[in-house]
Structure formats: structure tokens, C-alpha cells
């Protein structure tokens, strides 16, 4: 089983409990980035579904964006994944609305 889910949970919990400058935060961020970088698209999606089902705001937007970006890079021809990533981006807009619309456009072209 992937280490990604517990690492993601630890990131969310640590960010909630510790100060932004704490060593625990730096360690949790490093562990999350290292783990998600080498995760498969399936592992990333499973982690996002599980962690965000437990607490929709458990991961900060930058962590969600990174996770979806890496999954989409692995599966650029998966319209369901592209729409899922777009929907998540729209939750934290308007900064990423343009990228979300591009993902939706690509998904529609693939259908």
C-alpha cells in the first residue's frame, strides 16, 4: 500500500497543530512533496478521495494543486481526472479559474 495517504494526513494534521515555522511543518511538507512526487496517478487519486472525504479542508490548496498536477501529467488523456482536477481548482479560484477551464476544455475534447 502507498505511503501517500498517511503522509497526506500527517501534513494536514501538522499544519493544523504546529506553527508555520516549526520543524514539524517543514518535515511534513518535505515528506508530502517527496511521496507525492513518486506516487502513481491511482495512488494520488485514492489519497485525495480518502483524505478529503474525512476533512474537505485537510490539505492546503498548494498540496491539492500539486497532487492533481502530477496525476494529470501521468494521465493527460483521462477526461475524468481532468474534470476532477478542474473542479478542485475552481473551489479555490479565481486564481486558477483559467487553468480549470483549460482542463475542462481538454476533457471535452477527449470525450
Amino acid at each position: 500500500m502507498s505511503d501517500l495517504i498517511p503522509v497526506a494526513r500527517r501534513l494536514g494534521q501538522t499544519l493544523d497543530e504546529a506553527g508555520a515555522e516549526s520543524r514539524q511543518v517543514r518535515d511534513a511538507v518535505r515528506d508530502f512533496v517527496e511521496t507525492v512526487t513518486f506516487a502513481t496517478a491511482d495512488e494520488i487519486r485514492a489519497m485525495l478521495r480518502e483524505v478529503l472525504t474525512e476533512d474537505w479542508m485537510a490539505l492546503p490548496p498548494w498540496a491539492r494543486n500539486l497532487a492533481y498536477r502530477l496525476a494529470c501529467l501521468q494521465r493527460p488523456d483521462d477526461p475524468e481526472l481532468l474534470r476532477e482536477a478542474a473542479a478542485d481548482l475552481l473551489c479555490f479560484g479565481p486564481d486558477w479559474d483559467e487553468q480549470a477551464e483549460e482542463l475542462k476544455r481538454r476533457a471535452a475534447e477527449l470525450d
Side-chain angles (χ1 to χ4, degrees):
M1 176 159 181
S2 169
D3 292 333
L4 187 54
I5 292 171
V7 168
R9 282 189 182 122
R10 180 173 165 243
L11 175 63
Q13 291 167 349
T14 301
L15 290 173
D16 281 346
E17 296 169 1
E21 297 302 314
S22 77
R23 180 169 184 76
Q24 292 90 353
V25 169
R26 289 192 307 273
D27 290 348
V29 168
R30 183 197 64 236
D31 291 346
F32 178 79
V33 171
E34 287 178 358
T35 306
V36 77
T37 297
F38 297 103
T40 67
D42 288 336
E43 291 170 328
I44 292 169
R45 289 176 88 182
M47 175 274 297
L48 288 165
R49 286 185 180 136
E50 186 166 327
V51 171
L52 299 178
T53 297
E54 293 168 5
D55 178 359
W56 191 78
M57 291 301 294
L59 292 174
W62 68 262
R64 297 160 79 124
N65 291 353
L66 175 63
Y68 274 117
R69 177 70 173 155
L70 291 170
C72 288
L73 286 171
Q74 291 179 49
R75 292 218 183 117
D77 298 326
D78 183 338
E80 182 182 326
L81 173 60
L82 297 176
R83 279 191 285 278
E84 185 179 323
D88 198 71
L89 283 172
L90 289 170
C91 293
F92 298 100
D95 294 344
W96 300 295
D97 287 359
E98 194 172 309
Q99 289 84 359
E101 293 304 321
E102 174 62 18
L103 288 171
K104 291 190 323 189
R105 184 192 61 72
R106 285 180 32 213
E109 287 176 2
L110 291 167
D111 281 337

